[in-house]
Amino acid sequence: MYKIMTKKSLLALAALGLLSSCASPPSANRDATNLNAYGTLNPFASEQIYFLLTDRFVDGDPDNNQVNQGGKYKTFNIPLIGPEGKQANIGYMGGDFKGIINNAQYIKDMGFTALWTTPIVDNPDEAFSGGEPTKFGSVGTDGGKTGYHGYWGVNFYKVDEHLESPDLAFADFTRILREDYDLKYVLDIVANHGSPSYSMPVSQASMGKLYDEQGRLVADHQNLYPDKLDPNNPLHKFFNTQPGLAQLSDINENNPEVLDYFVNSYFKWIDQGAYALRVDTIKEMPHHFWKKVADRIRERHPDMFMFGESYSYEASFIAQHTRPENGGYSVLDFPGRQAITSVFENDESDYASILSYLHLKDGMYQNPYELVTFYDNHDMARMNASDRGFVNANNWLFTSRGIPCIYYGSEANFSTGLKEHEGNRNYFGQARVNAAKNHVVHNNLTRIAHVRKDNVSLQRGLQVNLVFAGNIASFYRIYQQDGVNQTALVVLNKGEAAESVTLDKMLNSGQWRDALSGKKLQVSKKQKSLTLDVPANGVRVLLLDAPITNPDLIAEVKHSMAALF
């Protein structure tokens, strides 16, 4: 029986099985000694990622802002004015590598171990004059925008001039992150498209072109609509003759020169310190292309972790990218994002509804524990939750399966609920960074992120779900491999009142310790139940640094491992 007791109510719930009152027989002890239990052995699963748009984080070097760039189609500070004083911006705003380095300690102190930024490659030097005009709140429009976000590459071998400083090239940037702050750099790569390439009233010199490492022109859309391109023209061979996303050039995945161009550019940045790769718009190109990319990269870097952006809420669709025959990529967990926001945006939600995206034992993904989990990003409205909602979302994100990723500003409930052209990507800045250090979301995030950072069970442990009902969720994370044994018992309370939670099945005897307070808690072999006080909007994590011995729990672990592997 599972019980939650408050001053106002007593609620009894049926459990899947957490505690056992009987001592473990000798056979169970032998099983425990030989039992392997883990969700994944991939080293990158131990990371926790902070994601930011470089231009919108902090301006550390005003000298690289290019405030006069673009002429008639200026690139710096292009505001979109909305109602009631609201604003967004589609120009550059000054964020750069130096602004990140100046705040790398801030990122590290929150508990992050990896930094993913938007692409570093050279983008057009003008705002786009074609397409549909971009207005405050508009969706899917590129007219009047710049490449401040980095996804409109024109030279994939060159760093954009807005990012570096004379004393801080990209290689310096990744080295300082790695050596001084223990932060691994995640490179955002693009192969699906280049820059806006057609529909301009008059051709723009910096749009629709691709240059190689020597600065030579290798492709030019020439402001032609895709169906007007000539496959026999050497400058058109990089492009498809069907439209892709908006007015962006659509890269020809069947051209071997295209594969060479992009893969070799990735090698350049990997050699300069990129530790892992995030693949933009992976679903827009066929699997055979990404399989070739993966094979080429892993031939030289066999342990490279790569995760793709396949913007879909259908698990069966995004799971295709994880299969070895399709390149064996991990993916951003979009179905997870949908489930997480539905729970934490709504105070009346039931924790049971969050289970839908986990797919722990059904074989949906090649390995669900290697997915990158998140609730906010730059392409959709930010989570529209209260501070409490963000605190609870982080408690879940950093204890449940997957590799957690936090979007810049979410640690301070920044731009809550806003879409791209409504303020999702607004400039954060040094003043907000400084203020965030005292924000309740930031402080609670820092606490739970460090718990995960310090404990392998929360990073790579097998997840065994217990009770998910109302405001309470409970589960095990179990890691037993190569002599390392750690089990975490996680109990979450997203309610506004403290709860006493009683668990009475599959209890493992031994000396547990509280991951937050350090206090010891002895569970005897004869003990029939365990009651834990869980604070409002809080989490309890108990750790057992010994093999599990409960027969029912061992049986469940064996079943889960068989289903997973």
Side-chain angles (χ1 to χ4, degrees), residues 149-211:
H149 42 70
Y151 293 100
W152 290 355
V154 293
N155 189 335
F156 286 77
Y157 292 83
K158 179 182 177 184
V159 176
D160 192 86
E161 66 275 10
H162 296 85
L163 303 179
E164 294 181 317
S165 298
D167 60 345
L168 190 64
F170 176 70
D172 303 316
F173 172 64
T174 61
R175 176 183 53 79
I176 293 170
L177 287 173
R178 181 177 64 254
E179 295 179 358
D180 295 355
Y181 301 100
D182 296 319
L183 290 169
K184 303 174 179 68
Y185 183 74
V186 179
L187 181 74
D188 200 329
I189 64 171
V190 185
N192 172 69
H193 58 267
S195 60
S197 298
Y198 57 95
S199 77
M200 293 164 278
V202 177
S203 291
Q204 294 180 254
S206 61
M207 296 287 175
K209 297 177 173 60
L210 285 175
Y211 297 88

Side-chain angles (χ1 to χ4, degrees), residues 72-91:
K72 179 180 178 182
Y73 306 110
K74 73 168 196 168
T75 62
F76 189 77
N77 189 19
I78 307 171
L80 301 177
I81 306 301
E84 301 174 355
K86 296 177 181 178
Q87 257 190 60
N89 204 295
I90 53 175

Side-chain angles (χ1 to χ4, degrees), residues 320-384:
Q320 297 174 40
H321 305 289
T322 72
R323 303 303 178 198
E325 63 269 23
N326 295 330
Y329 294 83
S330 177
V331 287
L332 285 153
D333 196 342
F334 280 88
R337 191 267 177 184
Q338 186 178 48
I340 290 169
T341 55
S342 70
V343 168
F344 298 111
E345 289 181 342
N346 177 14
D347 291 342
E348 304 303 316
S349 63
D350 191 318
Y351 246 128
S353 65
I354 210 167
L355 294 170
S356 62
Y357 82 89
L358 294 176
H359 298 289
L360 300 177
K361 295 187 291 185
D362 62 9
M364 178 65 73
Y365 299 105
Q366 193 69 21
N367 190 318
Y369 292 85
E370 295 170 9
L371 270 61
V372 176
T373 50
F374 69 103
Y375 53 76
D376 272 349
N377 77 8
H378 56 317
D379 286 329
M380 56 182 62
R382 288 180 181 251
M383 185 166 71
N384 190 17

